[in-house]
């Protein structure tokens, strides 16, 4: 079982992806912003990050650089 972090500010997107991934046996965390997701990564490193590009505050492209430093090698 892998840990997947979903980062999206749209609740319905998070709900659908979380439901699908949970049903297929994955542990799923959800964050509504890049800042929230980066804080989450400092507590538990995910095996995969599903990241929206348009987010409130820090956008997804900028967040990718931070994820690269905090969770190197995570796709």
């Amino acid at each position: 079982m892998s840990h997947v972090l979903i980062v999206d500010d749209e609740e319905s997107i998070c709900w659908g992806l979380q439901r699908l991934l949970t049903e297929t046996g994955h542990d799923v965390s959800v964050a509504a912003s890049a800042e929230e997701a980066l804080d989450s990564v400092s507590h538990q490193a995910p095996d995969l990050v599903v990241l929206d590009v348009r987010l409130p505050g820090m956008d997804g492209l900028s967040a990718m650089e931070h994820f690269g430093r905090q969770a190197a090698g995570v796709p």
Side-chain angles (χ1 to χ4, degrees), residues 34 38 41 58-72:
L38 290 165
V41 167
M58 182 188 308
D59 65 51
L61 295 175
S62 299
M64 286 175 60
E65 294 177 31
H66 292 279
F67 280 116
R69 283 184 242 129
Q70 284 189 331

Side-chain angles (χ1 to χ4, degrees), residues 11-55:
E11 249 182 80
S12 60
I13 299 288
C14 291
W15 178 83
L17 287 172
Q18 184 176 26
R19 183 173 176 197
L20 172 71
L21 292 167
T22 301
E23 287 176 358
T24 58
H26 300 282
D27 177 39
V28 179
S29 297
V30 174
S33 70
E35 294 84 359
E36 183 182 339
L38 290 165
D39 183 54
S40 171
V41 167
S42 68
H43 297 95
Q44 180 181 8
D47 298 303
L48 174 70
V49 177
V50 178
L51 179 63
D52 188 10
V53 175
R54 292 185 177 168
L55 293 166

